[in-house]
Amino acid sequence: MILDILKRDFGIEGSLDVVEGMNGFPKVVMTHVSGATSEIYLHGAHLTSWRATDGTELSFLSRAAKFEQGKPIRGGIPICFPQFSGQGPLPAHGFVRTMDWELCRTQLLDNGAVASEFQVTDTAETRAMWPHPFALGMRVVLAEDSVTLSLRVVNTGSQPLAFQIALHTYFGVADIGRTFVLGLEGTERVDTLREWVRETENRSRIGFSAETDSIYPNAPDSLRVEDEARGLSVAIEKKSMPDVVVWNPWIQKSRRMEDFGDDEYLRMVCVETGCIEAKQTLPPEGSWEGITRLTYGFI
Ligand code: TA6
């Protein structure tokens, strides 16, 4: 059975296991010696859980999330590639988040961190939608107080490869009304809910009281999400992922999403990092890498 083979080939006693997740979908469970954990489904190489050393869940996974072939998982950290949202002819956020990725490496590092690597490449189905060969890798490193996600795109074709890419990170919070995003003051904001008007963000602490869906092109590489109700913060540090999106669906959009509870907007916020306006183009054999590190702490 595939699970037994994955356990045999990639399991690390006490640090990493491959188990049956929802609907029998295989998932990697990483456990740091401190007690911190993370879970990543091979479906979409989708991180669905990141827990602190005391078991506090820092990610968000909808109670209505679907675990079905061809469907994205609602919550966690979906990988958007080669398109972001509906900004092109492909399915929303591209197609890799609904593909089965290969688990290709696992490690227990000298510093005690636990690492797993996943890869997906073009298929006849993807080439029918998007006629470009590619290889996309993701590496997840779990440490005591952080999880680091590194993405790498390689152009394995003979033509230039133009793409968008993002980590669509859902953060779990206790109360959206006491949740704030810091670090975007002075950055240009594109408000997709107001005809994509472009204006300067003048708030040092962005709070939430309505549907929010803003793109911040070329945003600072250090941001923070504050969950005031739990006294928790998550620092976001990024490299080569210039653009940020801040999203909360609020009441009406929540009701329209079948894989999202009507009240769940109260307990999540998305702060996404990637190349959205900064579309990338690789020459044949060229590669791009981007990193986002999430570190939790206390306010
Ligand atoms: O977060 C930005 C965004 O494009 C929003 O407009 C919203 O559509 C969200 O992504 C979720 O997209 P999804 O396809 O996962 O429902």
Side-chain angles (χ1 to χ4, degrees):
M1 181 191 177
I2 179 74
L3 215 47
D4 295 334
I5 295 170
L6 289 172
K7 280 177 184 289
R8 183 197 66 199
D9 293 352
F10 297 101
I12 302 171
E13 183 69 31
S15 299
L16 188 145
D17 197 359
V18 186
V19 301
E20 192 171 288
M22 298 290 287
N23 284 358
F25 281 29
K27 69 177 177 181
V28 171
V29 179
M30 301 202 293
T31 304
H32 187 268
V33 65
S34 64
T37 64
S38 184
E39 299 184 359
I40 305 108
Y41 277 83
L42 271 59
H43 181 74
H46 197 130
L47 185 146
T48 54
S49 174
W50 170 38
R51 290 179 184 267
T53 53
D54 65 359
T56 301
E57 179 61 69
L58 300 162
S59 183
F60 166 86
L61 183 65
S62 171
R63 63 173 180 266
K66 302 245 188 282
F67 290 80
E68 296 173 18
Q69 287 303 340
K71 286 189 187 296
I73 299 168
R74 176 67 65 189
I77 306 183
I79 299 171
C80 309
F81 176 88
Q83 171 186 298
F84 185 79
S85 192
Q87 298 183 20
L90 298 173
H93 293 312
F95 41 68
V96 298
R97 66 174 179 166
T98 55
M99 291 176 75
D100 290 334
W101 291 48
E102 179 194 355
L103 174 58
C104 40
R105 188 181 185 198
T106 56
Q107 292 171 285
L108 177 57
L109 304 179
D110 293 346
N111 63 5
V114 188
S116 50
E117 292 182 20
F118 307 81
Q119 177 168 296
V120 71
T121 58
D122 56 289
T123 64
E125 290 75 22
T126 66
R127 289 189 296 271
M129 287 187 274
W130 191 60
H132 299 285
F134 69 91
L136 171 58
M138 181 171 72
R139 177 176 168 86
V140 184
V141 178
L142 175 72
E144 179 171 359
D145 60 355
S146 69
V147 63
T148 303
L149 291 90
S150 305
L151 291 170
R152 176 176 164 79
V153 179
V154 180
N155 179 359
T156 53
S158 58
Q159 299 301 316
L161 185 76
F163 61 91
Q164 294 171 303
I165 190 163
L167 293 169
H168 195 297
T169 306
Y170 287 70
F171 293 95
V173 297
D175 175 356
I176 190 63
R178 296 180 61 194
T179 295
F180 303 93
V181 175
L182 291 80
L184 289 167
E185 186 178 11
T187 301
E188 185 180 42
R189 175 165 72 109
V190 181
D191 189 338
T192 70
L193 301 174
R194 288 169 45 223
E195 310 297 318
W196 297 64
V197 65
R198 303 176 83 97
E199 53 199 11
T200 299
E201 177 57 72
N202 55 26
R203 296 169 292 178
S204 58
R205 290 175 92 231
I206 298 167
F208 299 85
S209 57
E211 183 179 354
T212 303
D213 193 348
S214 298
I215 301 171
Y216 293 85
N218 204 23
D221 282 344
S222 295
L223 306 167
R224 201 163 76 245
V225 178
E226 282 191 354
D227 176 350
E228 190 181 74
R230 288 196 295 183
L232 276 177
S233 71
V234 177
I236 302 169
E237 297 164 287
K238 60 187 179 68
K239 182 170 180 284
S240 306
M241 300 181 85
D243 306 330
V244 165
V245 176
V246 176
W247 177 60
N248 183 285
W250 215 249
I251 300 168
Q252 296 312 320
K253 185 154 189 177
S254 296
R255 288 178 180 160
R256 296 197 299 270
M257 296 193 294
E258 58 157 1
D259 60 350
F260 189 80
D262 288 357
D263 63 344
E264 289 189 312
Y265 71 94
L266 293 166
R267 286 184 297 284
M268 55 67 69
V269 65
C270 282
V271 181
E272 306 150 39
T273 51
C275 302
I276 296 160
E277 279 208 353
K279 200 164 189 168
Q280 297 296 305
T281 301
L282 295 178
E285 298 176 30
S287 63
W288 167 90
E289 285 198 21
I291 300 175
T292 293
R293 170 168 297 153
L294 309 176
T295 306
Y296 80 87
F298 303 95
I299 297 176

